[in-house]
Amino acid sequence: MRQGMPQSPNHPPFRMVIERRHGDLVRADGGSAANEVIITGGHVGTHVDALAHVSQDGLVHSGRPAAAAQSHEGFAELGIETFDPYVGRAVLLDVAAVHSTAVLPAGYEITPDDLERAAGNTRIAPGDAVLIGTGWSRRWGDGAAFVGLADGVPGPGVAAARWLAERAPRVVGGETIAFEHLAPGRGHATLPVHRILLVEHGINIVETMNLAALLDTGVREFLFVLNPLPIVGATGAPVRPLAVLP
């Protein structure tokens, strides 16, 4: 996480400033300490979406009225603190490799056929974590291209989201800011994949993951550790996912 990193324009930017510098306060023994103030949205950098993050027609997951659960202090239900840490099997579906490329084209819609081909003979069991490799994290250094407002972003479309939901994963994740197919010029106008996964099926989403190095290993099944900051009432929180390779 760094100032100026690519992020959704819908969320407040990450900022970090040194509040106290060495020398501002010097102890009697000559020691000094520096510290910082960090300001960030819950959906900036690599993060997990809580089930409270998205509503449809005024309802969040399980038909709960969003208005009754939310206040300026956060959500009384379905906040990110209710996410149980995940330590378990993960399957990485490398859709970019299916198309013999390191990075999928901007605005490409991932289909169920793409996911079937990427899975091959690998079984996805209920409760697994399922990650989708697009190669998009390789474009992190080009902020405008990574955000994709002009040219779009590769990601699962509605049919692919339903394919994922049918397999009942505990959590899904990808490399882009929004775990969605974003067409050129559309931005975040609509996010149907979020609705399907979060609202309809109660499946948490991990976004803005750096999967490039993992994709390069060729490993497609591994132990996955996911433990977002338990910020009470928040709709999402930063996380540092870990893939433990055999």
Side-chain angles (χ1 to χ4, degrees):
M1 302 182 78
R2 58 169 174 79
Q3 297 187 78
M5 65 183 173
Q7 66 165 85
S8 167
N10 294 336
H11 299 285
F14 175 86
R15 284 172 284 170
M16 191 276 287
V17 296
I18 298 299
E19 172 70 11
R20 177 175 289 174
R21 298 168 298 175
H22 289 293
D24 288 346
L25 176 65
V26 180
R27 299 183 180 91
D29 65 355
S32 181
N35 56 52
E36 62 281 313
V37 173
I38 296 171
I39 303 170
T40 185
H43 300 266
V44 177
T46 308
H47 63 275
V48 179
D49 288 350
L51 299 185
H53 179 43
V54 170
S55 66
Q56 181 65 35
D57 301 321
L59 303 177
V60 291
H61 179 59
S62 296
R64 297 170 170 90
Q70 70 185 1
S71 73
H72 71 281
E73 295 181 344
F75 276 80
E77 301 176 86
L78 305 180
I80 195 63
E81 81 280 4
T82 65
F83 180 92
D84 291 331
Y86 181 84
V87 180
R89 179 175 182 259
V91 174
L92 176 58
L93 304 180
D94 189 352
V95 177
V98 166
H99 292 274
S100 302
T101 184
V103 184
L104 286 177
Y108 178 80
E109 179 176 346
I110 293 172
T111 66
D113 181 65
D114 288 328
L115 299 179
E116 291 278 4
R117 292 171 62 192
N121 295 324
T122 301
R123 176 176 176 268
I124 298 173
D128 282 348
V130 180
L131 310 181
I132 294 181
T134 59
W136 204 246
S137 54
R138 304 182 197 278
R139 306 196 71 177
W140 175 256
D142 186 344
F146 189 87
V147 174
L149 293 179
D151 298 328
V153 171
V158 167
R162 297 204 182 281
W163 185 96
L164 289 166
E166 288 171 2
R167 283 146 183 82
R170 164 75 191 282
V171 63
V172 298
E175 299 171 84
T176 55
I177 285 172
F179 189 76
E180 298 265 354
H181 162 242
L182 300 182
R186 290 285 294 166
H188 294 189
T190 59
L191 299 175
V193 172
H194 279 62
R195 169 180 52 81
I196 292 167
L197 296 174
L198 294 171
V199 180
E200 296 179 9
H201 293 278
I203 299 169
N204 296 90
I205 301 171
V206 194
E207 292 170 316
T208 323
M209 302 178 75
N210 181 5
L211 297 180
L214 182 59
L215 290 167
D216 288 344
T217 68
V219 175
R220 298 297 175 257
E221 298 178 63
F222 46 87
L223 176 66
F224 187 55
V225 180
L226 189 71
N227 189 19
L229 294 177
I231 303 171
V232 176
T235 65
V239 69
R240 188 179 185 186
L242 298 175
V244 183
L245 303 188

